[in-house]
Amino acid sequence: MSGEGPGLGQPPGVGFWCRLPSSAHWPPTPESKDLYGEQAGPAGYCRGTAELGSMHFEELLDQVGGFGPFQLRNLVLMALPRILLPLHFLLPVFLAAVPSHHCALSGVPANISHQDLWLEAHVPREPDGTFSSCLRFAHPWALPNSTLGRAPQSLGELEGRASAVPCSEGWEYDSSEFSSTIATEWNLVCEHKGLNKVTSTLFFIGVLVGAVIFGYLSDRFGRRRLLLVAYVSSLVLGLASVASVNYIMFAITRTFTGLALAGFTVIVLPLELEWLDVEHRTVAGVLSTIFWSGGVTLLALVGYLIRDWRWLLLAVTLPLVLGIISIWWVPESARWLLTQGRVQEAQSYLLHCARLNGRSVGEDSLSMEALSKVAAAERVVRRPSYLDLFRTPRLRHISLCCMMVWFGVNFSYYGLTLDLSGLGLTVYQTQLLFGAVEVPSKLVVYLLVRYVGRRPTEVGMLVGAALTFGVRLLVPSETKSWRTALTVIGKAFSEASFTTAYLFTSELYPTVLSALPSVQEEEMQAQN
């Protein structure tokens, strides 16, 4: 339960009120003053009001219902962007896959029956015994088959055979697993293979920039309106990526697609939290993250069914149309409306919330006069900025620790999820396995954070991931079954630490700053 206390050194009835979570005690401790300033509770924040007896938003939420059918419907509406995010964030696993390839060879006889013999004569082998992907012989061997129509090689050709030269006529790709990727479309292999990775880097740079932009604009113009902007811009840019005629166009459109998709990461969380009471935020947070895991699993199925990168990108982009339609039912944050002085709109949403939750509210509690007082109290707090994350010594300590935790969490999660090779499974099987293991990890996290605590759970999961990955490095590469098992266990630990950090971070800050730490997550993703 949350509580309130009188202002420090203020007479009853005037001054300000302090919002305190369940772990808080009154009077405030020195640490709480260090965290949020002199006028603060141990882990909350204080606001000025005209009088202590005036209502504030948390009491309004308790009256209309802090968790009920209204909030559940909101969670379902927010499920779509959570499912779509991994479909785009992890799309490079299929979109930028590099199938096995070798130099394109001219003059291949139509009636040749032994492909390996032809390659043996034209393509050198790597130390591991596989054919080279980037080199061919300057003077190939003549095959012992008269039907190939080659005369015996001269002594000069035999001497020159040992010299290998880069591919000059392009590449031939194995199409058994992928019919088309951006690597095969624009030959992003060999000396150009770095360009294949650049697209992912640019995408997450776009996510970083978009998180900052959408964070500011959603606070200025509203969460619901910017959510619509994110849907529309993601759809338009996604379709532009599908229609890319060259690599430069694709890289640019994917960068801006990342910027647009960042709106979901910044807006969805406040839209959920600002309609939820404190008691149900943990269960709602775990429930909402399961939709992400659903998206990870769904990507394996969609990638398996659609092997062409353009059709695959189109398939994960078109569902954004459903998001645009769903905006009709998405509620704006009543708290944000009150801070903007839009009392009548806030009243309409609050009454609708009470009606869906089956709550009967008195006319006085949701009257325009009562809501105007709440709006006045909400507007007393100055507009938050990213500098507030470092304003006091305690906040600086929390923010820096969160940044280090998010770096480690994202490094392990995305580093593993975006590289599905070396497990002895197909890329589709690995993606499906990684998605499936996330769901039980989240359920374990829910039990641990409830009965053990956030910090011990986060520490335990990070240590578990580190130990598992460390042991995997020591296991010989020949024992693929052990390496696969350790990788899956490490993935479970990594996902659990990600979910715990997601829940923990938003609870470390006062509500007025709760939307800002999500940008730290995007910064860490971009760095990885």
Side-chain angles (χ1 to χ4, degrees), residues 154-460:
S154 66
L155 181 60
E157 286 179 321
L158 292 175
E159 293 176 350
R161 177 191 176 279
S163 62
V165 296
C167 303
S168 59
E169 301 177 11
W171 289 263
E172 293 181 6
Y173 299 92
D174 179 13
S175 59
S176 61
E177 197 167 26
F178 303 98
S179 61
S180 174
T181 69
I182 63 170
T184 64
E185 177 95 4
W186 294 302
N187 289 326
L188 305 180
V189 294
C190 298
E191 64 267 21
H192 300 299
K193 64 181 179 180
L195 295 177
N196 200 21
K197 303 294 184 182
V198 167
T199 55
S200 295
T201 302
L202 293 176
F203 176 84
F204 281 107
I205 289 176
V207 172
L208 167 62
V209 176
V212 176
I213 293 175
F214 275 95
Y216 171 77
L217 293 179
S218 64
D219 188 54
R220 183 176 179 85
F221 299 106
R223 286 81 162 98
R224 185 170 178 265
R225 184 179 300 176
L226 266 295
L227 181 61
L228 177 61
V229 172
Y231 273 127
V232 174
S233 56
S234 297
L235 176 63
V236 172
L237 291 165
L239 294 177
S241 297
V242 172
S244 297
V245 296
N246 54 48
Y247 172 80
I248 299 297
M249 179 179 176
F250 178 80
I252 293 174
T253 54
R254 282 297 287 172
T255 302
F256 283 99
T257 301
L259 187 150
L261 289 170
F264 298 143
T265 66
V266 175
I267 297 169
V268 169
L269 180 63
L271 270 178
E272 290 178 345
L273 293 184
E274 291 174 359
W275 280 108
L276 285 167
D277 56 23
V278 176
E279 291 80 3
H280 293 94
R281 288 184 178 179
T282 299
V283 62
V286 173
L287 180 63
S288 63
T289 60
I290 290 179
F291 294 121
W292 169 282
S293 300
V296 175
T297 306
L298 181 61
L299 179 60
L301 176 61
V302 176
Y304 178 78
L305 296 176
I306 305 175
R307 306 296 182 94
D308 183 274
W309 76 268
R310 291 185 188 270
W311 288 105
L312 177 60
L313 182 53
L314 181 65
V316 301
T317 300
L318 287 181
L320 291 163
V321 176
L322 299 177
I324 296 173
I325 298 173
S326 71
I327 287 291
W328 178 266
W329 296 279
V330 174
E332 179 58 274
S333 166
R335 181 192 291 274
W336 179 84
L337 289 171
L338 291 174
T339 62
Q340 304 300 307
R342 296 160 62 174
V343 178
Q344 190 171 1
E345 293 179 60
Q347 182 189 46
S348 176
Y349 281 115
L350 289 167
L351 288 173
H352 183 56
C353 176
R355 188 162 54 251
L356 283 184
N357 289 341
R359 296 292 187 93
S360 57
V361 294
E363 295 182 1
D364 295 337
S365 59
L366 292 182
S367 66
M368 293 294 292
E369 181 181 357
L371 292 178
S372 296
K373 291 183 179 180
V374 177
E378 293 288 328
R379 287 198 300 270
V380 167
V381 181
R382 63 179 177 79
R383 188 183 298 275
S385 70
Y386 296 111
L387 294 178
D388 290 328
L389 297 173
F390 306 94
R391 191 167 299 279
T392 67
R394 185 63 176 171
L395 275 174
R396 284 193 293 272
H397 175 78
I398 291 176
S399 297
L400 292 174
C401 287
C402 284
M403 291 175 69
M404 289 187 288
V405 168
W406 271 116
F407 180 84
V409 166
N410 278 287
F411 196 89
S412 63
Y413 182 87
Y414 285 102
L416 180 63
T417 307
L418 293 175
D419 183 11
L420 306 184
S421 60
L423 298 183
L425 303 172
T426 67
V427 64
Y428 309 105
Q429 293 171 334
T430 307
Q431 181 70 26
L432 182 63
L433 183 60
F434 279 3
V437 78
E438 288 192 4
V439 176
S441 297
K442 295 177 187 297
L443 298 179
V444 170
V445 165
Y446 172 71
L447 296 175
L448 289 177
V449 297
R450 186 171 182 178
Y451 297 107
V452 179
R454 274 75 165 160
R455 185 161 57 181
T457 301
E458 182 64 36
V459 171

Side-chain angles (χ1 to χ4, degrees), residues 117 121-122 139-145 148 150-153 157-158 161:
L117 285 177
H122 291 76
H139 300 285
W141 281 105
L143 294 177
N145 189 339
L148 297 179
R150 277 187 55 92
Q153 292 174 303
E157 286 179 321
L158 292 175
R161 177 191 176 279

Side-chain angles (χ1 to χ4, degrees), residues 16 24 153 461 510:
F16 53 88
Q153 292 174 303
M461 296 304 145

Side-chain angles (χ1 to χ4, degrees), residues 5-10 14-18 38-40 46-49 52:
L8 300 175
Q10 299 290 332
V14 297
F16 53 88
W17 59 271
C18 294
E38 287 296 321
Q39 300 177 340
C46 300
R47 290 182 169 160
T49 62
L52 185 65

